[in-house]
Amino acid sequence: MKNKLQFTVLKTRWNARIWEINLNGIKVQTPIFMPVGTKATIKGMILDLLQDEKYIWQHIESIKVILANTFHLYLRPWSQLIKQAGWLHKFENWNDGLILTDSWGFQVFSLGLSKLDSQWHSHKVNIKLTEDGVKFSSPWDGSKHVFTPENVVDTQIDFWSDIMMVLDVCSPGAEKKEIVNRQMQMTHRRAQRAFDHFLPKYDEARWVLFPIVQGGSYLDLRQESVDFLSQFARDGIAIGWVSVGEDKEKVQEVVAFTAPKLPKDKPRYLMWVGTPEDLRFAIEQGIDMFDCVSATRYGRHGVVFSDEGNMKISNAKYSSDFSPLTPNCDCYACTHFSKAYFHHLHREKEVLGGVLIGLHNIVYLNRILSEWKREMMG
Ligand SMILES: [Zn+2]
């Protein structure tokens, strides 16, 4: 069977590589950072701007791929409503880019942990992992639902997602090996079922499906997961669950061990990792795709990515500092406003400040990748 995602190697150096990926008529040069639009919006951002060099950037690549979340959008506004709207690209006005949809393995875990935090209103969330899938109740109205490896694929197709993820089981970092192993085996059975469902039904169409390597921080389990799931890496493969509940050294150990073992001729996606230092480390291990909410979430909290580390705009020393957020950045935030202005917006809790700092952070991560690519390409 034919690969739907075309990849051309542009450059390699040790484990690191630059690819050109072509999917559904859109060309992407990896490594890429993919901003997270969980609920069909990157909070406060007009998505067009992410591709408009007049407003956003001139010296780095524009954003080509963004994320959305299957679990959130399935419940609200409802996957069928998005389908009726003309699918997700049209619904959120992201017509010239690709959409990657996460399954909801991670949400199961985070809901299980937090039960009912501030963003989950109205109803207590009940979650039960079974061999068939995940039974859960809606935090919005208490209604009962089941996600299976099969219907999670169908739901992502309802969104018209370009890159889809299989339903997996996330294991907390500090979990005992026996439990992580059991959850990894379940992840493998779910990947098998997802592809058994996907291949005969959707394989000739535009969609691609990535399996997710699990195994927690146990390297032998990661190896086993790579060995099993590589058979499904037809268009790409992801490394799941390295970033939450893990210390940085452990994360790096898992990434450095796992990434080079993944099939060399397929895109490799490291999930939920996206701070400047993480990116710098992981591209050298051969990772091609990243996503993380930190760029925009930090932005909303007034935290600015910079070469000197994370900068808190609330600091009093910025109240009359009329220089840009960071020197040599040509994002809209840095070319039009000063630190003093952002300090003021932050203090007044004005939405624009958080949105524009989030934008700067996205550009900052993209600049790291762009500069690295330029250096690699010589
Ligand atoms: Zn900037």
Side-chain angles (χ1 to χ4, degrees):
M1 273 183 258
K2 203 163 137 253
N3 297 109
K4 284 168 280 190
L5 209 146
Q6 306 296 320
F7 6 76
T8 317
V9 184
L10 300 181
K11 190 88 183 182
T12 56
R13 184 179 68 196
W14 300 103
N15 290 323
R17 62 259 200 99
I18 299 176
W19 293 83
E20 186 175 83
I21 292 179
N22 192 338
L23 177 64
N24 298 330
I26 292 169
K27 283 186 183 166
V28 181
Q29 200 182 85
T30 66
I32 52 165
F33 172 72
M34 307 177 289
V36 179
T38 303
K39 297 181 180 177
T41 172
I42 297 171
K43 292 190 194 311
M45 209 83 75
I46 296 169
L47 297 184
D48 269 354
L49 296 186
L50 295 175
Q51 296 191 319
D52 191 334
E53 65 175 36
K54 176 166 173 264
Y55 292 101
I56 308 304
W57 40 55
Q58 284 131 31
H59 306 300
I60 61 174
E61 271 193 281
S62 63
I63 296 293
K64 301 277 178 57
V65 191
I66 60 172
L67 259 74
N69 185 270
T70 302
F71 167 70
H72 289 283
L73 295 175
Y74 162 79
L75 284 175
R76 294 210 323 201
W78 186 33
S79 42
Q80 291 302 314
L81 184 133
I82 289 174
K83 190 176 175 178
Q84 284 165 24
W87 295 291
L88 193 50
H89 296 73
K90 188 173 174 206
F91 193 51
E92 65 180 7
N93 193 36
W94 180 251
N95 297 303
D96 301 317
L98 300 172
I99 296 176
L100 184 153
T101 41
D102 195 354
S103 66
W104 84 300
F106 175 71
Q107 276 69 35
V108 175
F109 175 79
S110 64
L111 278 175
L113 267 190
S114 60
K115 293 293 183 199
L116 195 65
D117 69 21
S118 58
Q119 62 170 317
W120 301 102
H121 304 298
S122 318
H123 288 73
K124 188 175 180 306
V125 182
N126 293 307
I127 296 172
K128 198 171 175 216
L129 267 180
T130 68
E131 185 58 33
D132 185 46
V134 188
K135 292 180 179 171
F136 63 100
S137 60
S138 164
W140 306 116
D141 60 11
S143 56
K144 293 191 168 45
H145 304 265
V146 183
F147 265 6
T148 65
E150 294 83 7
N151 72 15
V152 164
V153 168
D154 294 335
T155 301
Q156 291 177 89
I157 281 169
D158 285 341
F159 299 145
W160 210 253
S161 166
D162 299 279
I163 303 171
M164 311 188 297
M165 308 304 292
V166 299
L167 181 65
D168 60 337
V169 185
C170 289
S171 309
E175 200 62 275
K176 284 197 185 97
K177 188 172 184 180
E178 185 194 333
I179 295 170
V180 175
N181 186 23
R182 211 181 311 138
Q183 292 170 333
M184 181 191 77
Q185 302 299 343
M186 186 180 259
T187 294
H188 294 175
R189 292 193 295 278
R190 288 185 174 178
Q192 178 79 58
R193 279 172 57 188
F195 277 90
D196 286 349
H197 179 70
F198 173 77
L199 291 178
K201 210 169 165 186
Y202 302 114
D203 196 41
E204 296 309 314
R206 65 196 297 284
W207 300 286
V208 299
L209 181 64
F210 284 18
I212 304 171
V213 169
Q214 292 291 350
S217 52
Y218 302 100
L219 300 185
D220 55 337
L221 294 184
R222 289 279 174 184
Q223 178 72 62
E224 188 181 338
S225 198
V226 170
D227 291 343
F228 182 79
L229 293 173
S230 291
Q231 62 178 310
F232 302 120
R234 299 157 47 81
D235 294 293
I237 188 164
I239 302 176
W241 203 249
V242 292
S243 61
V244 188
E246 295 279 11
D247 63 58
K248 222 169 190 58
E249 269 177 31
K250 204 74 197 161
V251 169
Q252 294 195 345
E253 187 189 27
V254 172
V255 173
F257 176 83
T258 312
K261 296 187 163 53
L262 298 173
K264 287 201 173 4
D265 57 346
K266 309 291 173 186
R268 299 157 169 174
Y269 164 30
L270 180 58
M271 305 177 82
W272 317 309
V273 169
T275 63
E277 58 274 25
D278 291 337
L279 252 62
R280 287 190 182 99
F281 178 81
I283 48 181
E284 295 295 342
Q285 317 308 317
I287 295 295
D288 306 306
M289 303 162 69
F290 301 90
D291 80 285
C292 194
V293 294
S294 62
T296 44
R297 184 174 289 165
Y298 283 19
R300 292 198 295 282
H301 290 98
V303 177
V304 181
F305 289 161
S306 82
D307 291 346
E308 279 72 51
N310 293 347
M311 190 172 87
K312 280 192 180 151
I313 203 65
S314 57
N315 195 312
K317 69 181 176 187
Y318 301 127
S319 63
S320 58
D321 182 337
F322 301 109
S323 65
L325 287 175
T326 63
N328 311 321
C329 179
D330 62 2
C331 83
Y332 192 80
C334 288
T335 50
H336 291 79
F337 307 102
S338 63
K339 291 192 191 80
Y341 183 61
F342 285 112
H343 177 87
H344 161 70
L345 292 181
H346 184 78
R347 190 165 56 178
E348 296 303 323
K349 298 187 171 55
E350 286 291 340
V351 174
L352 181 65
V355 171
L356 286 181
I357 294 175
L359 179 69
H360 162 83
N361 288 345
I362 290 172
V363 173
Y364 186 87
L365 295 179
N366 247 28
R367 175 173 297 102
I368 289 174
L369 299 177
S370 290
E371 285 173 356
W372 180 84
K373 280 182 225 179
R374 268 201 290 276
E375 186 256 312
M376 275 274 283
M377 296 299 279

